[in-house]
Amino acid sequence: MSLSELKKEIKQEASENPEKFFATDVIRAKGFSRGKCTNCGMRFWSFNEDREVCGEPECSGGYTFINDSPTEKSFGYIEAWETFRDFMADRGYTPIDRYPVVARWRDDVEFVGGSIYNFQPYVVSGEAEPPAPELVVPQPSLRFNDVDNVGITGRHYVLHNHIGQTCFKKSEEYDQDRYFKDMFEFAVQGLGIPKEKLILHEDSWGGGGNLGACMEFFVDGLELFNQVYMFYEQTPDGYEELDLKVLDMGMGQERITWISHGTETSYECVMPETVEKLKERTGLETDDEIWEKFLPYSSELNVDEVEDIEEKWVEIADKIDEDVDELKKAIKPAAALYSIAEHTRALIFALADGKIPSNTGGGHNLRMIYRRAKDFIEKYDWELDLVEVARWNAEELEPMFPELLDSIDEIEEILDVEERKYEKAREKAQEELGKLEGQPSIEEMIELYESHGVSPEMMESAGYKVPEDFYAMLGGSEEVVKEIEEGFDLEGVKDTEKLYYENNEPYRQNGTEHFDFKAEVLKVIDEWIVLDRTMFYPEGGGQLHDVGKINNFQVKDVQKQNGVVLHKAPDHELSEGKTVKGVVNGFKRKQLTQHHTATHVVNAAAREQLGEHIYQSGASKTLEKGRLDITHYEKLDRETIDSIESKVQTAVSEDHKVNVLDMSKAEAEKKYGFRIYQGGAPPGNNIRLIEIEDLDIEACGGTHLTTTSHIEEFYITNSRRIQDGVIRLEYKAGEAARDYMKEVESRIDDVAGLVGVETVSEQMLGGTYRETERKLCELLSVEPDQLLNSIERFKNDNSNLKERIEKLSDFIGEDRKPTETETGTVFKRVESLFGAWKENEKTVEELETGIEDEVRSRMEDRVVETEVPTENVGLLIQVTQKLSRDFEASVTLIGEKGAVSASYHEDYDADENLEKYSENVQGDESFAKAFDV
């Protein structure tokens, strides 16, 4: 059942029974009466009992606060939050700092879309404690569905600061009347808005798996805030009540700033310094008269609510007595300028919080708004640098969000890289645009955008008509809760006691390579066994499962479903209730543990080397290797990879202690921040943290060493970009690292033997084994496992080339000598072999150009039949056809990989000329060829 359907259902219930959801007693006590909009049917409350329409601008005549603010004073953007914070703190609410806009504690969304996102799913569900039971928070939030509206409606943003009044209470403690009264009185007392101006809408809201009825507060056509009474959890079949009653009030900091100023648009008072600098730099002057007439109706251009946006432009132009084209000409440059300021502002929050622009997922949205801003700059030929605009925004926001300016150097680096990618992509996009032969359809425009990067702004600049709601057409899908995949039937089975967390490195504690435990079989499901306790680590967090035996039956897989661990032993003969002995393979556990702890150290080292934007994008820990995918905007060079490896090796030698900490999520987030969530947030109230002293701390459910020195040896074996904005690092630790070095040494010893070095030393290598392998792989552009075969092939090919040079020299009568290889280090010899191979190939090609002249010199009798020392059958075909035609001759040439004949001679046929060389002649009397000569 879709979210929109559920919201309609709740809205209907609230309409029929408002007392169940709303503080109706308080509302009536404030002198408000309930009505129903004669225009749209919305249920609303107002101080004027005779009012017939709701507060929506489309119903109430647009924005009526323009140049006529209803507030007692004007609030600066940051002052607006401070006023609210202090007002609510006096009433018992706890102010908390913002969460990152990148929602790494969730696996269902990439960005925070509102303050309640901070607490979904686990706080809202009651599984985890909130930072405070009643709190307020200034939460920057990203919503990309409003891109088309930015700059036009005056109120829309990609990034808006969603001020939250959020409460988590048990039913008997939940005070609906007080929560409503606090916000009502903030509007009247804190902002100084006459209560006669307030229009309260009954509606519903849902998102992130939760929903409820809500009360929207409108003033002069502008929705200022919305109290959501989030009592329900969305389920596949509908919704059910939460254990807690949750209040989710969201207020637009931009909107309360705007209404207090009454300016033509919100952008002028929300980003005054940045907008002013943009106007000075561009020289843009707005037509205040047209804007003043346009703004009251600009809200009607919301692409989310209008079916035909072009028709709406015409309608508004008629209302204000302006030509529609002239209206757009006056509005759109200013809207573009506001979009540049706003999009850059949105970018700096996302970049500061570690998200990288890319071609996929949420990174694609960041790239989209970056390129939209750049396209506006190109379209209007403005001399603007988004790096500079980013700094202006960060400086303006510093008193409230100092972390933005702290991160500005890294942000500028990312934007510089993004600009280079933009310029390159724009060139290709212009090529695609140039292929158009007429006005493209909407489907073609979307294809041009998604596949070739041709933005709507570029299409408009090229003279094509683009829908005003183009970005909305790209759209996302509606939220739908999916059925959870069914697993094992474990009803009534108690959670497994997880012994694998009790002792780190158990293989070190008993002096043997393996370790054991005793347990009772609770349930048998075919090949799978559930024990009451286990030391077998189940697959999870990117770490491979343990293996071993249960009563000598081989355990080949271990999985966890909720709190129950299941062991797969295909040939077991165990029964429920039986006491068993489990034995875990300590060699393999050690290797997996080394790779897991090494992964945390690699992440810390990469962050130190590359910057604070580094986050884990994915990870894997197997017996063969560890793998970490990190967020980064460009490919790593060899120097950078070596530096990261060196930092890890230093951390190993420094012997940092590894600690396991258990604490509540709220405490962990407050103490360590949200960087602890590198692989998502686990369910429940408590969290297991792995702290590597002085290096790193992350939430993690894997097995770990007790100290970094137990990683032993460590090497990064590979690095590559796996997708835009994500770099993969592969590495080996412990025994896998030692095996890796043995492989390298063995491979280079074999290479040395191939090039004539019998006794290998560092002097003969010209460096270490590993340095030599790297240099050779770079020289030949091959992977290490291809190195030996490649060198052997070059050696054999070179011998063949030398022989061909000798034969060709004899055939055409030239004295050409092959290039010989040099002695020296192993690398020097391979380099010389590679160089000789290239030179000798070139020599062969040059000598082959003399074949035609040599055959021509033998044309005295118009009949030539000779062997030619070449493998180039194509060349032989060319020579025979040309000379036979020029001399009306019969020319038969027998090469090393085939024979060809061509004849214009009256006494010779080409196919007959070849019959003595092959039984499989292809062709006729004028031209024939054979390959099995």
Side-chain angles (χ1 to χ4, degrees):
M1 195 173 186
S2 72
L3 179 60
S4 61
E5 291 171 323
L6 296 178
K7 286 164 59 179
K8 286 180 183 177
E9 193 173 307
I10 288 178
K11 184 176 179 180
Q12 181 62 33
E13 184 183 359
S15 178
E16 295 171 357
N17 186 13
E19 285 75 15
K20 178 180 178 180
F21 297 95
F22 307 120
T24 53
D25 290 343
V26 176
I27 298 173
R28 290 191 177 97
K30 296 290 185 183
F32 280 61
S33 301
R34 192 172 187 237
K36 184 175 182 180
C37 182
T38 56
N39 188 42
C40 70
M42 173 72 72
R43 287 286 187 179
F44 68 91
W45 298 75
S46 69
F47 191 75
N48 177 4
E49 63 181 12
D50 296 325
R51 185 180 178 97
E52 295 183 346
V53 294
C54 68
E56 287 284 356
E58 294 79 7
C59 299
S60 58
Y63 301 145
T64 57
F65 63 89
I66 304 299
N67 296 321
D68 186 19
S69 170
T71 65
E72 289 182 351
K73 61 169 285 190
S74 297
F75 297 94
Y77 182 67
I78 295 171
E79 183 187 8
W81 155 248
E82 293 171 342
T83 300
F84 177 78
R85 178 196 63 196
D86 295 345
F87 185 91
M88 300 302 276
D90 288 344
R91 295 182 173 224
Y93 297 85
T94 302
I96 67 169
D97 292 336
R98 79 171 180 99
Y99 281 41
V101 297
V102 185
R104 289 193 168 84
W105 57 93
R106 297 180 59 163
D107 58 10
D108 57 335
V109 294
E110 289 195 65
F111 296 113
V112 170
S115 56
I116 195 63
Y117 280 50
N118 300 348
F119 312 110
Q120 292 172 314
Y122 302 121
V123 176
V124 171
S125 68
E127 292 180 68
E129 296 172 1
E134 298 175 340
L135 59 87
V136 291
V137 58
Q139 183 55 49
S141 303
L142 288 167
R143 295 180 184 175
F144 296 93
N145 58 317
D146 285 330
V147 168
D148 294 298
N149 292 326
V150 175
I152 297 291
T153 64
R155 74 177 192 266
H156 279 99
Y157 291 76
V158 170
L159 182 132
H160 65 287
N161 204 40
H162 196 268
I163 294 176
Q165 169 207 22
T166 315
C167 305
F168 309 91
K169 291 286 189 177
K170 293 180 180 178
S171 183
E172 62 273 16
E173 298 173 344
Y174 184 85
D175 193 343
Q176 178 84 314
D177 289 352
R178 176 184 153 231
Y179 301 145
F180 173 85
K181 184 179 177 183
D182 287 339
M183 285 308 300
F184 185 96
E185 292 179 356
F186 170 72
V188 175
Q189 299 171 19
L191 296 178
I193 296 173
K195 66 179 181 179
E196 293 82 2
K197 291 275 189 179
L198 286 171
I199 310 297
L200 314 177
H201 290 194
E202 297 177 7
D203 208 338
S204 61
W205 186 91
N210 303 110
L211 66 162
C214 65
M215 185 70 78
E216 300 166 339
F217 287 63
F218 276 78
V219 176
D220 287 349
L222 184 67
E223 181 185 353
L224 293 185
F225 50 88
N226 180 17
Q227 272 196 331
V228 181
Y229 312 117
M230 194 169 283
F231 300 164
Y232 303 109
E233 177 183 10
Q234 191 178 354
T235 69
D237 299 322
Y239 56 89
E240 57 186 34
E241 283 202 31
L242 290 162
D243 292 335
L244 289 176
K245 282 188 177 290
V246 178
L247 171 72
D248 166 31
M249 187 288 299
M251 176 169 63
Q253 186 171 338
E254 293 78 13
R255 296 191 182 192
I256 58 174
T257 305
W258 185 23
I259 203 166
S260 76
H261 284 261
T263 51
E264 280 79 5
T265 76
S266 66
Y267 314 110
E268 304 275 359
C269 56
V270 168
M271 304 176 285
E273 296 172 21
T274 300
V275 168
E276 183 60 32
K277 288 174 182 176
L278 284 169
K279 285 186 174 181
E280 288 176 6
R281 185 67 57 86
T282 61
L284 178 71
E285 295 182 2
T286 56
D287 188 326
D288 293 339
E289 183 180 345
I290 289 183
W291 269 98
E292 188 173 341
K293 290 194 294 181
F294 168 74
L295 252 298
Y297 303 101
S298 65
S299 63
E300 298 178 25
L301 290 168
N302 183 347
V303 297
D304 291 336
E305 299 171 0
V306 178
E307 288 187 12
D308 189 334
I309 201 75
E310 294 290 341
E311 187 179 307
K312 183 58 70 172
W313 272 101
V314 172
E315 183 183 316
I316 292 173
D318 288 343
K319 286 181 181 178
I320 63 176
D321 196 25
E322 292 285 345
D323 176 76
V324 68
D325 292 331
E326 290 300 314
L327 176 61
K328 287 183 178 182
K329 190 175 178 181
I331 298 302
K332 285 200 167 185
L337 189 100
Y338 297 142
S339 294
I340 290 167
E342 194 283 329
H343 290 355
T344 311
R345 176 175 175 259
L347 280 166
I348 63 174
F349 276 94
L351 300 182
D353 290 345
K355 193 67 178 177
I356 301 295
S358 70
N359 289 331
T360 59
H364 168 75
N365 290 326
L366 300 184
R367 176 161 291 167
M368 178 263 289
I369 60 172
Y370 173 86
R371 293 187 175 183
R372 187 170 190 255
K374 287 288 289 182
D375 284 341
F376 281 137
I377 293 171
E378 295 284 341
K379 179 177 181 178
Y380 294 104
D381 197 25
W382 289 330
E383 290 197 10
L384 291 174
D385 181 357
L386 289 186
V387 168
E388 189 175 22
V389 180
R391 185 174 285 274
W392 293 343
N393 270 300
E395 289 170 347
E396 188 166 6
L397 290 165
E398 185 185 19
M400 187 170 179
F401 301 115
E403 65 274 13
L404 301 177
L405 199 56
D406 291 342
S407 303
I408 197 66
D409 290 341
E410 273 192 54
I411 290 171
E412 289 177 352
E413 283 182 30
I414 296 169
L415 292 177
D416 282 338
V417 171
E418 196 59 23
E419 181 173 26
R420 293 197 293 272
K421 292 179 179 179
Y422 168 80
E423 295 297 343
K424 187 175 180 180
R426 187 175 175 84
E427 288 180 18
K428 293 181 180 179
Q430 291 286 13
E431 290 176 11
E432 292 297 325
L433 201 55
K435 295 176 184 177
L436 292 177
E437 296 179 354
Q439 172 68 35
S441 66
I442 291 174
E443 291 75 17
E444 288 171 330
M445 284 188 276
I446 291 174
E447 169 70 16
L448 283 167
Y449 175 77
E450 293 185 336
S451 300
H452 304 289
V454 182
S455 69
E457 291 74 26
M458 290 176 67
M459 292 183 235
E460 281 187 339
S461 296
Y464 297 112
K465 187 174 178 61
V466 180
E468 300 282 344
D469 54 348
F470 179 83
Y471 287 104
M473 290 178 177
L474 303 175
S477 58
E478 187 176 24
E479 273 189 68
V480 178
V481 173
K482 298 179 180 178
E483 293 276 4
I484 298 171
E485 291 184 14
E486 289 189 10
F488 297 96
D489 181 7
L490 298 174
E491 186 175 353
V493 179
K494 69 176 184 178
D495 288 355
T496 309
E497 183 183 351
K498 298 167 183 63
L499 302 177
Y500 49 80
Y501 282 151
E502 292 187 3
N503 294 313
N504 286 344
E505 301 194 83
Y507 45 80
R508 287 181 174 270
Q509 296 168 14
N510 56 15
T512 64
E513 64 272 24
H514 304 313
F515 48 96
D516 56 53
F517 65 98
K518 288 187 177 181
E520 178 186 342
V521 178
L522 294 184
K523 192 173 184 65
V524 174
I525 307 173
D526 299 324
E527 298 177 324
W528 296 86
I529 303 162
V530 179
L531 306 176
D532 64 335
R533 57 208 301 265
T534 188
M535 291 193 79
F536 283 94
Y537 178 79
E539 183 174 359
Q543 180 176 327
L544 190 66
H545 58 80
D546 283 333
V547 295
K549 295 180 179 180
I550 296 176
N551 275 17
N552 289 320
F553 297 111
Q554 195 71 43
V555 175
K556 295 187 175 181
D557 193 2
V558 187
Q559 297 293 323
K560 183 162 75 77
Q561 182 174 309
N562 298 323
V564 178
V565 178
L566 299 102
H567 312 73
K568 186 177 183 180
D571 301 319
H572 78 84
E573 299 173 1
L574 302 175
S575 57
E576 295 175 8
K578 187 176 181 65
T579 299
V580 295
K581 179 182 179 181
V583 180
V584 180
N585 186 312
F587 285 133
K588 294 184 176 180
R589 164 69 77 82
K590 178 181 179 182
Q591 184 65 79
L592 292 168
T593 303
Q594 287 173 316
H595 279 152
H596 204 142
T597 299
T599 296
H600 287 224
V601 181
V602 171
N603 200 12
R607 185 165 59 251
E608 181 184 350
Q609 176 69 32
L610 301 171
E612 291 299 310
H613 63 278
I614 296 297
Y615 278 84
Q616 174 182 309
S617 179
S620 173
K621 306 94 185 177
T622 66
L623 295 168
E624 179 191 7
K625 64 187 175 184
R627 186 199 79 210
L628 178 67
D629 300 336
I630 57 173
T631 54
H632 189 55
Y633 46 83
E634 59 185 352
K635 186 179 178 181
L636 305 184
D637 58 27
R638 171 49 55 190
E639 183 180 354
T640 301
I641 296 167
D642 288 345
S643 180
I644 294 171
E645 179 182 274
S646 177
K647 290 180 187 300
V648 175
Q649 291 169 339
T650 299
V652 172
S653 65
E654 288 174 345
D655 197 24
H656 295 263
K657 189 177 179 183
V658 181
N659 303 313
V660 180
L661 310 177
D662 287 297
M663 60 179 66
S664 72
K665 283 179 181 172
E667 181 185 0
E669 290 166 0
K670 184 176 181 180
K671 187 171 183 179
Y672 300 111
F674 292 90
R675 191 174 284 280
I676 59 175
Y677 298 128
Q678 293 290 319
N685 184 50
N686 285 355
I687 195 168
R688 181 175 185 262
L689 298 173
I690 301 300
E691 177 194 45
I692 303 177
E693 291 185 359
D694 302 322
L695 277 184
D696 184 67
I697 185 162
E698 296 178 24
C700 182
T703 64
H704 282 276
L705 306 170
T706 55
T707 174
T708 57
S709 65
H710 292 174
I711 292 173
E712 300 169 357
E713 293 192 43
F714 175 85
Y715 304 105
I716 294 177
T717 59
N718 195 15
S719 171
R720 65 184 185 278
R721 192 182 78 160
I722 61 168
Q723 68 181 55
D724 201 19
V726 179
I727 303 298
R728 173 165 292 174
L729 293 167
E730 294 179 348
Y731 40 87
K732 295 177 184 283
E735 191 64 29
R738 288 187 287 275
D739 288 344
Y740 160 72
M741 285 306 300
K742 289 175 186 176
E743 289 174 11
V744 172
E745 291 171 8
S746 175
R747 187 157 40 236
I748 298 305
D749 283 344
D750 290 343
V751 169
L754 267 179
V755 294
V757 177
E758 296 180 3
T759 304
V760 180
S761 64
E762 194 161 306
Q763 182 178 358
M764 285 305 298
L765 288 174
T768 67
Y769 277 96
R770 196 154 170 247
E771 289 168 346
T772 301
E773 182 181 74
R774 283 179 180 173
K775 287 164 63 180
L776 289 174
C777 288
E778 184 177 341
L779 172 70
L780 303 180
S781 300
V782 297
E783 294 297 319
D785 59 358
Q786 301 168 330
L787 190 59
L788 198 61
N789 287 339
S790 297
I791 294 171
E792 191 168 19
R793 177 170 56 82
F794 285 127
K795 184 178 180 182
N796 293 336
D797 286 353
N798 199 46
S799 296
N800 183 39
L801 288 168
K802 289 164 68 176
E803 185 179 337
R804 288 167 64 192
I805 290 170
E806 184 179 343
K807 289 180 179 179
L808 281 166
S809 295
D810 290 343
F811 181 76
I812 65 175
E814 284 194 21
D815 186 18
R816 296 288 296 272
K817 301 295 183 185
T819 302
E820 299 292 343
T821 57
E822 301 175 9
T823 59
T825 64
V826 171
F827 176 76
K828 187 66 177 174
R829 292 180 186 222
V830 175
E831 184 181 42
S832 173
L833 171 63
F834 187 50
W837 171 78
K838 289 192 289 187
E839 286 300 316
N840 288 332
E841 269 209 330
K842 184 179 177 182
T843 300
V844 167
E845 290 173 5
E846 291 171 353
L847 287 169
E848 285 180 337
T849 62
I851 290 174
E852 181 181 335
D853 288 341
E854 176 59 28
V855 175
R856 183 187 298 272
S857 72
R858 304 183 186 191
M859 294 299 297
E860 184 176 346
D861 297 326
R862 294 196 300 132
V863 178
V864 175
E865 185 173 329
T866 186
E867 292 185 6
V868 182
T870 181
E871 297 177 352
N872 191 340
V873 177
L875 176 62
L876 297 183
I877 292 172
Q878 179 184 330
V879 170
T880 57
Q881 290 182 329
K882 183 176 188 300
L883 295 182
S884 64
R885 185 171 52 249
D886 290 351
F887 289 91
E888 294 185 346
S890 172
V891 181
T892 303
L893 303 179
I894 301 91
E896 295 174 353
K897 289 194 173 180
V900 296
S901 181
S903 179
Y904 282 83
H905 196 292
E906 63 276 9
D907 296 329
Y908 292 87
D909 291 334
D911 51 356
E912 291 180 2
N913 290 341
L914 294 182
E915 285 177 356
K916 58 184 164 184
Y917 297 105
S918 172
E919 295 179 357
N920 297 305
V921 177
Q922 305 169 27
D924 53 27
E925 66 273 9
S926 62
F927 176 75
K929 58 187 177 181
F931 296 102
D932 57 346
V933 295

